[in-house]
Amino acid sequence: METKPTYEELEQLAEIFSMTLDMICIADIHSARFLQINEAFSRVLGYSKSELLERSFLDFVHPEDIEATVGILEDKLKKGEKVLHFTNRYRCKDGRYVWLDWLSHPDTSKGITYAIAHDVTDRIQTEKALLESQRRLQDLVDFYPDATLAIDAEKRVILWNRAIEAMTGIPASEMIGKGDHAYTIPFYGKPREQLMDLIWVDDKRIEAHYPTIVREGRTLIAEAFCNALYNNRGAWIWAKASPLYDREGKIIGAIETIRDITKIKEAETSLQESERLFRTVFQHAPVGMAVIDIDRRFLQVNDAICSILGYPAEELIGRSFNAFTHPEDREDGRIRWAEMLSGQSVTTQGEKRYIHRSGRIIWTIAQNALFTRSDGVPMYVVSHLIDITSWKQAEEARQKLEEQLHQAQRLESIGRLAGGVAHDFNNKLQAILGFTQMALDEAGQDTVLRKRLLAIQNAAEGSANLTRQLLAFARKQTVSPKVVNLNEVISGMIAMIKRLIGENIHLDWIPADDLWFIRIDPSQIDQVLVNLCINGRDAIEGQSGSIAIETQNISLDETYCRYHEGFFAGDYVLMTVSDSGCGMKPELLEHIFEPFFTTKEQGKGTGLGLATVYGIVRQNNGMIHVYSEPGKGSTFRVYFPRTGERGQSVSTMNAVGHFRGKETILIVEDDPAILEVSKEVLGRAGYTVLAADGPEEALRQARSYPEAIHLLITDVIMPRMNGRQLSILVQETHPAIQSIYMSGYTSNIIAHHGILDEGLFFIQKPFSITTLLEKVRTVLDQAGGKV
């Protein structure tokens, strides 16, 4: 049984109905008339209660909302819904319209409906304003030239402008509200959603995965080439991604702008390529190039100009080229520079000298071109330097060679004269020595005559040494290699070297014990030693000093030679000549063995001395090395290859006794004295001697002599026929005959390139009786002609 409310309860309900803030009404379902309303209706709409009661609520609905309101009510009633919800606009008494949000509960059994309305005008207007703001923002973003997108905290796309539509080919309708990020534009090899993750992940390890991305706080900036843009045409992009914050500073999303920088990149690439090409051409140009500012300071230099001046680029840039200009050329350069800056000439050209870092002078052709701004103000100068030093040196060398040729011709004339004089003098010495030795054999022991004869012999032998030195100067000496002891050869030269270098220079001779033997012409040792000692004397420059000559055995292994260019492994006899002279700079050491190179004053040297030394050393398969420093003197080390042969000392050879025989000897000599003494010496030794004073007489005797002639002894240089030609003719009638050639110097008939042919026997004038007999016996014994 239903319990009816008490009067007090009804009073309370009426009070609540009247005082509630929301609009409450009871209306007739069929006529839509208000049956009951609370005071909130009058407060919101401005009508009095009497003006509203018994009026249809449709009278107050906005005309544009009546049809929709009726349609909603009928539809929901047909469906039997118990609670109806709808929103519409009501007219206020002052003509305004307010938005009301309705909840209605129809009671069809009673034909009435209960309804509550809430004024939502402010909310609707706010939403409209927000929508309008969003529309304006969307329009603004759409017209923004950079591709722009934004995501919320759930990584759903909330902004996708037209520029990114064009870039990706994906419309906003397919992206807004999406969170799967199906577009995945590759970004440095990572999909874009991973890049977005970085916006709110504060982890330093991110840089390890994105080394090319710059982090500025929580903003990421990067450049990349993306293939998946513009229908896979690809583009260079610059992207900036930043977090979106709410009022409390909490990250609620992210926004990213992407700018197409393809044209900029292409322009940069083109510019870089152009600059690279320019730098390549500039840096590797075969001529010196430099960019110079108006104050004549180097701004840029290429490799060639660094090579020309001898300085690295860092030591040139910022310095004035005037600092490297030859003092005598600076004023002329200043004038031409001023003319160029004043506009009198845009370019200049001329010969100019620079000072190399080493101190040597560099000749160049300098070409300068001025570059100005559009308003004519000078900016910088491009300079070209062509190194013409070698041309200048070649011209100077040509002139010098002409002078040296004249000097060499004079020296050659002197040499020929010296050689001829020495040859004739040797013939006279030969006769003196021959007769003196025979007189010694006839003189008694311990007599005054014997002492005087010995004095004559010693003087003649000393004179023979002098003529040998004269022939060495004339380069006409016979080059006949022998197995010798270097100490003995040098010892025989010490007295003469002391006279050559003068009394103000002390000579030290330091021979090594048990020196190995070498194979060389002793006269070549003399020539090398004389040249080196004279070179040392001149380096001391007239002051007091010293020269040291040393010998020693030395072995060079493969390891040593690997690190010393020009050296070969083996056993050598080392001759060292050191002086305390002025020494030489490193750049001079490179040229000292070149022919005609000399540091001496004009007329004081031919530049052939050390070149001759080098030639002799190399001719004998030796090596030479020089060490020198300015102010510390020079040391020449000459390496002669060791020979396995054993030689005889000079004293041993001179001490050999008489060598006798019975063979027949034909001796040919155009000097009567030498012919007479040779004939008598050989006759006393038991030989049958045929003597001829010239080639014709020798041929006549050889052809008419009925028996065998075993040996021909002939001078090399004779009128109408030389000794070698005579030997060949004599062999026609005496095929087994042997030959000994004698001369004060040799000629190309018996010598090829300065070396005596193997198998040819030679005896140097002047020679002693013992030497002659020994040579004769040696040749005959080798031929098997002993009888």
Side-chain angles (χ1 to χ4, degrees):
M1 181 175 179
E2 183 178 353
T3 304
K4 294 182 178 182
T6 65
Y7 177 81
E8 289 81 6
E9 291 174 336
L10 290 174
E11 286 289 333
Q12 289 177 351
L13 289 173
E15 186 177 355
I16 293 171
F17 178 81
S18 175
M19 295 178 64
T20 184
L21 295 177
D22 287 332
M23 301 165 65
I24 301 175
C25 69
I26 301 173
D28 185 274
I29 293 177
H30 304 292
S31 64
R33 289 182 298 108
F34 287 115
L35 299 177
Q36 186 63 264
I37 61 173
N38 68 350
E39 291 182 3
F41 261 86
S42 296
R43 185 181 70 250
V44 173
L45 299 179
Y47 295 99
S48 66
K49 188 174 182 179
S50 60
E51 288 175 322
L52 293 173
L53 289 176
E54 300 300 327
R55 297 271 306 271
S56 172
F57 64 80
L58 292 176
D59 294 340
F60 302 95
V61 175
H62 193 290
E64 295 177 1
D65 294 347
I66 292 176
E67 184 179 352
T69 300
V70 173
I72 291 173
L73 292 174
E74 290 178 349
D75 181 61
K76 292 183 178 291
L77 287 172
K78 285 180 182 180
K79 292 179 180 179
E81 294 184 9
K82 299 297 183 181
V83 178
L84 309 181
H85 179 244
F86 58 93
T87 303
N88 57 16
R89 289 171 286 179
Y90 266 62
R91 184 184 70 250
C92 297
K93 189 173 182 177
D94 58 8
R96 295 181 299 108
Y97 282 91
V98 294
W99 283 91
L100 299 179
D101 189 54
W102 292 93
L103 283 176
S104 176
H105 176 61
D107 188 347
T108 55
S109 63
K110 296 179 180 180
I112 62 175
T113 181
Y114 305 96
I116 299 175
H118 182 69
D119 186 354
V120 294
T121 303
D122 291 341
R123 189 195 74 187
I124 294 296
Q125 289 177 344
T126 300
E127 289 177 351
K128 286 179 66 177
L130 179 59
L131 289 173
E132 180 64 21
S133 176
Q134 288 177 338
R135 186 188 65 76
R136 287 196 298 269
L137 177 61
Q138 184 65 45
D139 289 342
L140 179 64
V141 172
D142 279 342
F143 286 104
Y144 190 60
D146 291 340
T148 306
L149 71 131
I151 59 175
D152 61 17
E154 283 72 38
K155 302 179 187 176
R156 293 188 298 263
V157 176
I158 58 175
L159 178 65
W160 190 265
N161 75 345
R162 292 180 183 178
I164 201 168
E165 284 185 355
M167 183 178 283
T168 63
I170 303 173
S173 59
E174 295 183 17
M175 292 305 302
I176 298 298
K178 300 292 181 65
D180 57 359
H181 297 272
Y183 62 97
T184 59
I185 303 172
F187 198 109
Y188 277 88
K190 304 291 182 181
R192 186 176 298 282
E193 61 269 24
Q194 293 185 26
L195 178 63
M196 289 302 173
D197 287 343
L198 301 184
I199 295 174
W200 45 75
V201 177
D202 187 11
D203 189 347
K204 291 184 179 179
R205 290 175 298 175
I206 291 170
E207 276 77 0
H209 300 288
Y210 295 88
T212 56
I213 292 179
V214 177
R215 179 183 286 276
E216 295 181 357
R218 288 196 172 188
T219 297
L220 301 178
I221 300 174
E223 288 185 6
F225 184 83
C226 296
N227 293 309
L229 299 178
Y230 301 113
N231 294 322
N232 295 322
R233 176 168 54 86
W236 276 97
I237 64 171
W238 175 89
K240 181 177 182 180
S242 301
L244 292 175
Y245 299 92
D246 62 12
R247 292 182 179 179
E248 287 73 33
K250 180 181 178 182
I251 295 177
I252 58 172
I255 185 168
E256 180 179 0
T257 55
I258 305 171
R259 183 172 300 167
D260 187 340
I261 58 171
T262 304
K263 291 184 179 179
I264 296 175
K265 277 291 184 181
E266 290 174 348
E268 287 179 353
T269 301
S270 177
L271 179 60
Q272 290 170 358
E273 182 63 22
S274 177
E275 289 181 350
R276 187 191 67 80
L277 178 61
F278 167 76
R279 287 187 178 278
T280 300
V281 173
F282 176 83
Q283 202 65 32
H284 301 291
V287 299
M289 294 182 66
V291 180
I292 305 170
D293 67 14
I294 305 307
D295 295 324
R296 298 188 286 185
R297 293 189 298 263
F298 287 116
L299 297 176
Q300 288 181 294
V301 293
N302 71 346
D303 293 343
I305 203 168
C306 292
S307 177
I308 289 172
L309 298 179
Y311 292 87
E314 55 270 18
E315 293 188 26
L316 292 177
I317 292 175
R319 297 180 65 184
S320 171
F321 68 79
N322 211 39
F324 309 96
T325 303
H326 193 285
E328 296 177 4
D329 293 347
R330 289 175 183 171
E331 180 60 22
D332 182 60
R334 186 193 64 78
I335 294 173
R336 284 189 289 179
W337 186 267
E339 291 175 351
M340 186 169 55
L341 294 184
S342 64
Q344 297 181 43
S345 61
V346 179
T347 61
T348 64
Q349 178 175 321
E351 288 188 0
K352 188 174 183 180
R353 289 170 293 177
Y354 285 90
I355 306 298
H356 190 271
R357 184 172 193 169
S358 64
R360 58 190 176 91
I361 297 174
I362 304 297
W363 279 92
T364 69
I365 293 178
Q367 299 173 323
N368 297 315
L370 176 66
F371 284 79
T372 62
R373 293 189 328 205
S374 57
D375 58 2
V377 175
M379 294 176 60
Y380 55 85
V381 172
V382 174
S383 180
H384 294 75
L385 292 184
I386 302 174
D387 188 348
I388 60 170
T389 306
S390 59
W391 303 344
K392 284 288 185 179
Q393 290 175 341
E395 179 63 22
E396 293 174 0
R398 185 186 66 79
Q399 296 175 356
K400 187 180 293 185
L401 282 174
E402 289 181 356
E403 296 173 0
Q404 290 176 341
L405 176 60
H406 296 317
Q407 184 178 9
Q409 288 172 340
R410 292 193 298 270
L411 290 174
E412 184 66 23
S413 299
I414 295 172
R416 286 196 296 268
L417 176 62
V421 170
H423 177 265
D424 292 342
F425 189 50
N426 272 339
N427 286 340
K428 303 304 179 184
L429 288 175
Q430 183 63 63
I432 293 172
L433 284 171
F435 284 119
T436 301
Q437 289 173 348
M438 286 190 295
L440 283 170
D441 290 342
E442 296 172 357
Q445 298 294 324
D446 300 327
T447 64
V448 174
L449 177 62
R450 182 174 183 81
K451 291 180 179 179
R452 291 174 178 172
L453 289 172
L454 287 173
I456 294 173
Q457 180 178 268
N458 290 335
E461 289 176 348
S463 299
N465 287 332
L466 291 175
T467 58
R468 186 171 65 173
Q469 297 302 320
L470 191 59
L471 287 171
F473 166 76
R475 298 189 300 282
K476 293 294 185 180
Q477 78 277 21
T478 301
V479 180
S480 180
K482 298 179 178 63
V483 177
V484 298
N485 182 290
L486 185 60
N487 283 346
E488 292 188 6
V489 178
I490 295 175
S491 295
M493 292 285 294
I494 292 299
M496 187 194 73
I497 290 174
K498 286 183 177 179
R499 290 194 298 272
L500 280 175
I501 63 177
E503 297 179 355
N504 62 312
I505 298 176
H506 177 72
L507 179 65
D508 287 325
W509 164 224
I510 311 170
D513 296 331
D514 300 322
L515 206 62
W516 295 328
F517 287 96
I518 60 174
R519 183 174 179 80
I520 193 171
D521 190 319
S523 66
Q524 288 186 307
I525 295 292
D526 297 346
Q527 196 167 355
V528 169
L529 199 56
V530 167
N531 278 312
L532 292 180
C533 289
I534 290 176
N535 189 74
R537 178 200 66 187
D538 294 342
I540 295 172
E541 298 178 335
Q543 305 297 321
S544 297
S546 63
I547 294 177
I549 305 172
E550 303 177 59
T551 58
Q552 68 179 97
N553 298 326
I554 189 169
S555 297
L556 305 179
D557 58 19
E558 294 288 349
T559 302
Y560 178 87
C561 297
R562 190 178 301 118
Y563 296 99
H564 292 78
E565 185 177 357
F567 280 72
F568 302 94
D571 294 335
Y572 296 89
V573 175
L574 173 61
M575 178 178 73
T576 303
V577 179
S578 304
D579 66 71
S580 61
C582 59
M584 291 175 281
K585 295 179 180 180
E587 56 267 23
L588 297 180
L589 294 178
E590 301 176 3
H591 306 284
I592 59 171
F593 295 120
E594 296 176 5
F596 302 112
F597 178 81
T598 179
T599 59
K600 300 174 184 177
E601 296 178 9
Q602 181 71 23
K604 291 190 176 182
T606 64
L608 295 173
L610 292 180
T612 302
V613 170
Y614 181 82
I616 291 174
V617 172
R618 297 303 295 165
Q619 186 181 58
N620 289 277
N621 298 317
M623 303 172 298
I624 185 168
H625 176 266
V626 57
Y627 176 80
S628 183
E629 290 186 32
K632 296 184 179 180
S634 303
T635 297
F636 289 82
R637 294 183 175 89
V638 184
Y639 299 79
F640 295 107
R642 175 187 183 182
T643 181
E645 303 175 68
R646 298 287 296 181
Q648 287 181 307
S649 66
V650 177
S651 59
T652 302
M653 290 188 290
N654 289 339
V656 175
H658 293 285
F659 294 85
R660 302 181 62 80
K662 297 180 180 181
E663 291 88 349
T664 300
I665 298 173
L666 172 60
I667 182 168
V668 186
E669 171 60 62
D670 58 357
D671 188 297
I674 296 177
L675 182 63
E676 181 182 350
V677 70
S678 300
K679 179 179 178 181
E680 186 172 345
V681 167
L682 294 171
R684 288 185 179 186
Y687 298 100
T688 300
V689 181
L690 305 176
D693 59 2
E696 293 85 356
E697 175 64 19
L699 284 174
R700 187 189 65 76
Q701 292 194 43
R703 291 167 179 168
S704 63
Y705 192 72
E707 298 181 13
I709 301 177
H710 302 92
L711 180 65
L712 169 66
I713 301 176
T714 178
D715 196 4
V716 176
I717 305 300
M718 296 180 295
R720 296 178 296 278
M721 187 182 304
N722 61 51
R724 185 64 187 274
Q725 293 169 332
L726 174 61
S727 175
I728 294 172
L729 292 175
V730 171
Q731 287 177 11
E732 293 177 357
T733 53
H734 300 275
I737 195 171
Q738 298 296 309
S739 299
I740 296 176
Y741 301 97
M742 55 183 178
S743 179
Y745 60 86
T746 188
S747 68
N748 290 333
I749 297 173
I750 63 168
H752 299 282
H753 305 292
I755 301 296
L756 193 67
D757 288 349
E758 292 291 334
L760 297 182
F761 301 100
F762 184 84
I763 186 169
Q764 176 75 50
K765 291 180 182 179
F767 48 80
S768 66
I769 292 176
T770 302
T771 302
L772 175 63
L773 294 176
E774 177 190 7
K775 178 68 75 172
V776 168
R777 188 69 266 155
T778 299
V779 173
L780 290 173
D781 290 345
Q782 288 183 6
K786 186 175 182 179
V787 295

